[in-house]
């Protein structure tokens, strides 16, 4: 109650009074009100309207006071009585405590467990209140602190504020709560700072601090980052290097390709010239026998010679020219096979002496025609049997002997077969090897020394008039050389103009057991019972080929019956209606080709599916032969064929 103004102010616990029951109220000389309650004494400043409580912790006899027990004496001292006696004091003595109280961190917790400095492996080297900080792993990153001001009168009344530098942006007002907790802290350096106030609300400005270092997990450690950075750097460097190398490589490739292109261009131009020369030679070579064939057959038709001698001469000319023509075509085919790398060498047993014998007997006729003596000699040291490719040996010998006869006008041609002095040793697995040397010596026109090396070149002849004078394509020796090369052998020539030449070949062969059959390749019908009374389906679209086959079959097989189908589809229809002992199948035909027809026949749901089928084709490349076999054919007769070959193949198929 303000006596001057008459104002009444109602003050309760809401305004800060410790208790609503007040026993005594005294005003001191400064106008402040002192009130005794059951919860100590409260001082009220009417100007600031602030309370300050005093309790047992300030030295009161008890927190409980009694009514009527209070007074103010003449000196201005105040007296209050309570349940344990009384307190009296000069209100002037009770000044504010302006000294701040120090604060200490009393304990540190990690993962809800106290961190004790004495524990083994403890991050604290001193008790928490003496420690300046600690370092803990990332796995222990849940941390809390307890702290206290170093004034023990009324601990529960002290207030605190704290801040974790590196985490809290501002100071946190903790009230009277004396702990702070942090969960899931990131790795890094932190400083925990805490301050407290004293009994009179004076804050300690310094406070205390605690350094907290949380180590990064291994995957965020510096060295790992460094390693990653290094790896990244390495990769970048590698990338740059690879790029550079690639660039260089590209540049080099471009250069190489450019160089290759220009040489390829030159080569193409050169090969174009060679091709032109080749075509010129070929057309000449082909036209020469063709001329004989066309001329002689015209003469035969026109004159119809009744004299058997004349007729035979005409027909012989036609036959010889045809053989010649076939030889040329075969040479070209051989060379193209060699060039394409499609020629495979056989490895079979054969008798080398027999091969030479065969070659001589075939060539004897031609030699005799020219009045030459053709002889051969096989050295005793030459083994009975060797392993290798007999066909190619025969081909080479035929070629050399053929040339020798061609380029010799009088005298002799002699072939010698012996074992080369130098034994060429092949791979160990092949067993014992010998070098077989054959020398073809003639007494012919000879070759000039400066032309010797060139005779093995494609389309090359020792003298430019040789084609005109002797015929020939200039391919024979090229083929010989390639064939011998492929077998690991050598070919050479010694010659003197006007005296003669000697061609020497040397080929390594493994020793083996002769398969005389292969050596001879004979298909003679003599040792077999004759074929008769066969029913044959001839599938062929070319009328002339049909004619040739019919004539040969009629001649070779008594009572043969031949049906002709012009394509695969017709053949299939005819096979459904009739039964045949054999089918001769052309490969390239309209409507349905030979491969397809064969597959269709093999798929028939009757016994007719097993009818033997022989391919008859002018396609003689190994791949095509294989294709015939794959389609289900039983054999292969290359066109043009000789009667013995045709009959031999039929005999084998119908057996
Ligand atoms: P072609 O005989 O078809 O012309 P070749 O390659 O077999 O082709 O021979 C090439 C050339 O080598 C012949 O044209 C000829 O000039 C020469 N030549 C080959 N063999 C003999 C030989 N025995 N005597 C003389 N010259 C030969």
């Amino acid at each position: 109650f303000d006596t001057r103004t008459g104002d009444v102010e109602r003050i309760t616990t809401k305004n800060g009074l410790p208790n609503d029951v007040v026993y005594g109220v005294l005003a001191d000389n400064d106008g402040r009100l002192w009130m005794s309650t059951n919860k100590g004494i409260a001082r009220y400043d009417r100007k600031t309207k602030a309370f300050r409580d005093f309790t047992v912790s300030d030295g009161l006899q008890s927190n409980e006071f009694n009514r009527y027990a209070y007074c103010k004496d003449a000196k201005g001292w105040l007296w209050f009585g309570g349940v344990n006696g009384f307190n009296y004091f000069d209100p002037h003595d009770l000044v504010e405590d302006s000294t701040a109280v120090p604060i200490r961190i009393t304990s540190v917790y990690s993962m809800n467990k106290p961190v004790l400095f004495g524990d083994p492996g403890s991050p604290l080297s001193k008790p928490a209140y003496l420690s300046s900080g600690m370092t803990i792993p990332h796995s222990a990153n849940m941390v809390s602190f307890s702290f206290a001001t170093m004034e023990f009168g009324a601990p529960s009344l002290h207030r605190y504020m704290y801040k974790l530098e590196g985490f809290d942006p501002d100071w946190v007002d903790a009230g009277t709560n004396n702990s702070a907790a942090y969960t899931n802290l990131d790795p890094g350096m932190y400083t925990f700072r805490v301050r407290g106030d004293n009994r009179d609300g004076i804050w300690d400005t310094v406070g205390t601090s605690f350094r907290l270092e949380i180590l990064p997990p291994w995957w965020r450690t510096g060295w790992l980052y460094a390693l990653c950075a290094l790896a990244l750097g390495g990769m970048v460097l590698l990338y740059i290097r690879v790029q550079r190398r690639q660039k260089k490589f590209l540049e080099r490739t471009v250069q190489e390709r450019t160089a290759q292109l220009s040489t390829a261009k030159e080569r193409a131009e050169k090969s174009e010239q060679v091709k032109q020369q080749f075509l010129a030679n070929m057309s000449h070579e082909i036209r020469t026998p063709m001329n004989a064939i066309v001329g002689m057959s015209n003469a035969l038709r026109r004159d119809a010679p009744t004299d058997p001698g004349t007729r035979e001469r005409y027909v012989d000319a036609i036959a010889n020219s045809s053989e010649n023509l076939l030889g040329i075509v075969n040479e070209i085919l051989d060379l193209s096979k060699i060039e394409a790398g499609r020629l495979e060498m056989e490895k079979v047993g054969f008798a080398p002496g027999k091969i030479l014998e065969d070659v001589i007997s075939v060539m004897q006729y031609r030699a005799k025609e020219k009045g030459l003596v053709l002889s051969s000699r096989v050295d005793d040291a030459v083994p009975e049997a060797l392993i290798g490719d007999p066909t190619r040996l025969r081909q080479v010998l035929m070629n050399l002997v053929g040339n020798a006869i061609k380029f010799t006008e009088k005298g002799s041609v002699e072939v010698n077969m012996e074992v080369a002095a130098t034994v060429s040793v092949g791979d160990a697995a092949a067993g014992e090897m010998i070098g077989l040397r054959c020398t073809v010596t003639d007494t012919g026109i000879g070759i000039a020394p400066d032309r010797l090396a060139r005779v093995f070149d494609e389309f090359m002849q020792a003298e430019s008039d040789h084609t005109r004078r002797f015929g020939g394509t200039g391919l024979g020796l090229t083929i010989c050389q390639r064939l011998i090369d492929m077998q690991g052998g050598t070919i050479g020539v010694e010659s003197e103009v006007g005296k003669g030449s000697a061609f020497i070949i040397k080929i390594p062969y493994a020793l083996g057991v002769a398969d005389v059959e292969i050596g001879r390749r004979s298909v003679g019908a003599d040792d077999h019972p004759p074929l008769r009374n066969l029913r044959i389906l001839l599938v062929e679209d070319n009328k002339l080929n049909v004619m040739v086959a019919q004539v040969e079959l009629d001649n070779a097989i008594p009572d043969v019956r031949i049906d002709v189908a012009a394509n695969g589809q017709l053949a299939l229809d005819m096979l459904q209606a009739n039964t045949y002992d054999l089918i001769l199948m052309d490969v390239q035909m309209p409507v349905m080709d030979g491969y397809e027809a064969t597959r269709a026949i093999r798929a028939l749901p009757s016994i007719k599916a097993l009818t033997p089928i022989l391919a008859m084709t002018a396609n003689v490349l190994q791949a095509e032969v294989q294709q015939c076999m794959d389609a289900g054919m039983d054999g292969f007769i290359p066109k043009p064929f000789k009667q013995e070959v045709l009959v031999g193949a039929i005999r084998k198929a119908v057996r």
Side-chain angles (χ1 to χ4, degrees):
F1 173 62
D2 189 331
T3 49
R4 285 169 299 158
T5 61
D7 289 344
V8 175
E9 192 183 349
R10 186 180 168 85
I11 296 167
T12 66
T13 45
K14 285 185 188 131
N15 303 81
L17 194 64
N19 198 319
D20 280 340
V21 179
V22 175
Y23 294 123
V25 182
L26 291 171
D28 65 19
N29 291 342
D30 297 325
R32 292 176 299 187
L33 297 179
W34 297 77
M35 300 165 225
S36 62
T37 72
N38 259 355
K39 287 189 173 175
I41 293 171
R43 184 187 68 194
Y44 181 65
D45 189 327
R46 285 188 295 176
K47 280 181 224 135
T48 61
K49 299 197 173 187
F51 278 98
R52 162 72 158 96
D53 299 341
F54 297 88
T55 61
V56 174
S57 61
D58 296 298
L60 296 186
Q61 46 79 36
S62 155
N63 282 342
E64 285 178 45
F65 284 82
N66 282 337
R67 39 184 186 166
Y68 315 124
Y70 59 94
C71 73
K72 181 180 168 187
D73 65 16
K75 289 188 290 182
W77 287 39
L78 303 181
W79 298 66
F80 288 99
V83 294
N84 276 334
F86 57 86
N87 291 100
Y88 69 104
F89 52 89
D90 181 353
H92 287 118
D93 288 344
L94 297 175
V95 287
E96 298 283 283
D97 183 357
S98 60
T99 38
V101 197
I103 186 165
R104 289 286 176 269
I105 288 169
T106 52
S107 44
V108 181
Y109 297 80
S110 166
M111 306 312 282
N112 288 329
K113 285 200 194 100
V115 180
L116 301 173
F117 91 97
D119 282 354
S122 168
L124 287 181
S125 53
K126 295 174 189 167
Y129 62 89
L130 290 175
S131 240
S132 62
M134 67 175 182
T135 301
I136 54 170
H138 181 253
S139 55
N141 66 348
M142 188 171 145
V143 180
S144 54
F145 302 93
S146 295
F147 33 82
T149 45
M150 297 294 102
E151 188 187 63
F152 308 106
S156 60
L157 294 179
H158 293 293
R159 292 173 303 160
Y160 303 95
M161 56 170 79
Y162 59 79
K163 179 183 183 182
L164 183 64
E165 281 177 5
F167 182 83
D168 291 323
D170 254 319
W171 285 90
V172 178
D173 186 349
T176 54
N177 184 7
N178 69 331
S179 67
Y182 294 91
T183 56
N184 204 14
L185 287 168
D186 280 337
M189 287 292 290
Y190 301 92
T191 306
F192 181 72
R193 293 191 188 282
V194 60
R195 289 157 58 195
D197 69 352
N198 69 3
R199 205 44 197 85
D200 294 305
I202 301 300
W203 285 93
D204 164 25
T205 49
V206 180
T208 189
S209 66
F210 188 92
R211 180 187 51 76
L212 177 66
E213 181 181 9
I214 295 180
L215 294 173
W218 65 267
W219 66 88
R220 283 175 65 179
T221 46
W223 60 265
L224 194 78
Y225 286 136
L227 214 68
C228 287
L230 261 174
L232 198 74
M235 271 157 67
V236 168
L237 271 176
L238 198 74
Y239 178 76
I240 292 171
R241 245 209 213 155
V242 166
Q243 286 277 327
R244 261 198 215 143
R245 206 174 285 175
Q246 205 135 348
K247 195 170 157 230
K248 263 194 198 149
F249 174 73
L250 276 178
E251 282 170 1
R252 214 180 321 129
T253 313
V254 167
Q255 276 171 3
E256 277 170 15
R257 290 285 147 84
T258 316
Q260 278 170 4
L261 268 180
S262 62
T263 46
K265 186 167 164 268
E266 279 167 26
R267 219 182 295 154
E269 281 166 2
K270 210 166 182 184
S271 93
E272 185 56 30
Q273 280 173 11
V274 172
K275 204 169 93 190
Q276 293 298 335
Q277 181 65 43
F278 171 74
L279 288 177
N281 283 357
M282 274 305 108
S283 78
H284 174 262
E285 278 309 302
I286 291 171
R287 291 173 86 91
T288 310
M290 284 307 271
N291 182 43
I293 295 169
V294 173
M296 284 295 111
S297 31
N298 279 341
L300 206 57
R301 201 183 294 137
R302 189 189 57 221
D303 306 343
T306 43
D307 160 34
T310 313
R311 206 170 53 214
E312 199 170 312
R313 254 192 316 117
Y314 283 21
V315 173
D316 275 356
I318 294 174
N320 285 340
S321 302
S322 309
E323 286 282 326
N324 205 345
L325 198 56
L326 186 59
I328 293 167
V329 173
N330 282 344
E331 271 187 355
I332 298 168
L333 198 65
D334 261 351
L335 195 67
S336 83
K337 273 199 252 179
I338 293 171
E339 304 264 281
R342 275 198 287 204
L343 199 76
E344 280 170 19
M345 289 294 152
E346 266 188 308
K347 265 204 160 73
V348 295
F350 69 94
K354 264 282 173 279
I355 303 268
L356 181 54
E357 203 179 290
D358 282 355
V359 170
I360 297 295
S361 72
V362 170
M363 289 295 176
Q364 202 57 264
Y365 170 76
R366 230 189 270 181
K368 273 198 184 124
E369 258 188 350
K370 287 186 87 174
L372 303 173
V373 179
L374 174 61
S375 63
S376 70
R377 197 181 69 81
V378 179
D379 193 89
D380 290 344
V382 173
E384 278 290 302
L386 295 174
I387 295 171
D389 194 323
T391 317
R392 302 302 164 197
L393 178 61
R394 185 201 318 268
Q395 191 177 351
V396 170
L397 287 176
M398 289 282 248
N399 224 306
L400 295 182
V401 174
N403 274 351
I405 294 172
K406 186 159 75 172
F407 295 106
T408 305
E409 294 310 324
K410 62 175 197 296
S412 63
V413 172
E414 197 186 313
V415 188
N416 258 312
M417 186 180 267
E418 59 210 328
V419 173
T422 49
V423 173
S424 83
V425 178
D427 52 319
E432 213 183 323
M433 305 281 288
I434 64 125
L436 186 72
R437 179 164 59 199
C438 302
T439 315
V440 182
T441 317
D442 63 56
T443 55
I445 60 169
I447 306 165
D450 59 323
R451 301 296 167 97
L452 270 184
R454 283 176 46 188
V455 296
F456 297 106
D457 290 352
E458 282 169 47
F459 308 115
M460 278 299 173
Q461 297 180 315
E463 303 296 336
S464 52
D465 63 348
H466 276 189
T467 298
R468 190 166 42 73
R469 281 171 55 203
F470 303 99
T473 52
L475 284 179
L477 287 180
T478 310
I479 293 172
C480 286
Q481 192 185 38
R482 304 272 175 92
L483 289 177
I484 291 168
D485 258 3
M486 283 171 76
Q487 298 174 84
T490 54
I491 182 168
V493 58
E494 289 164 7
S495 185
E496 205 177 317
V497 176
K499 289 217 164 142
S501 317
F503 282 83
I504 304 131
I505 63 166
K506 221 186 307 178
I507 306 175
Y509 291 106
L511 290 175
V513 183
D515 178 348
V516 179
E517 270 307 301
I518 289 169
R520 271 192 184 152
R521 285 275 157 114
S522 68
V523 274
D526 309 354
D527 37 349
H528 298 286
L531 290 169
R532 25 180 357 109
N533 196 21
L534 286 181
R535 184 138 196 217
I536 295 177
L537 175 60
L538 176 63
V539 192
E540 170 70 76
D541 63 320
N542 183 296
K543 290 208 177 73
L544 290 177
N545 283 343
V546 168
M547 194 174 96
V548 173
Q550 265 175 331
V551 167
E552 293 294 335
L553 289 171
D554 273 336
N555 176 259
I557 308 170
D559 303 327
V560 69
R561 277 180 298 156
I562 304 164
D563 287 349
V564 179
N567 64 53
Q569 185 56 57
L570 290 175
L572 215 67
D573 297 343
M574 289 170 74
L575 181 62
Q576 308 265 27
N578 306 290
T579 305
Y580 295 100
D581 297 311
L582 176 79
I583 300 171
L584 292 174
M585 179 80 78
D586 184 20
V587 171
Q588 278 166 13
M589 287 179 294
V591 186
M592 185 192 276
D593 68 19
Y595 303 129
E596 210 184 326
T598 304
R599 278 192 287 270
I601 291 169
R602 293 293 180 238
L604 286 178
S606 75
I607 190 85
K608 289 177 184 178
L610 302 176
T611 313
I613 303 174
L614 290 179
M616 269 183 115
T617 166
N619 293 339
V620 290
L621 293 182
Q622 192 54 41
E624 284 149 349
V625 176
Q626 190 57 48
Q627 218 174 334
C628 290
M629 295 307 167
D630 290 347
M633 299 193 197
D634 300 290
F636 184 87
I637 302 163
K639 277 193 283 198
F641 53 81
K642 291 222 166 76
Q643 197 188 63
E644 313 91 84
V645 176
L646 177 66
V647 172
I650 293 176
R651 192 191 302 285
K652 223 166 144 192
V654 298
R655 198 160 44 193

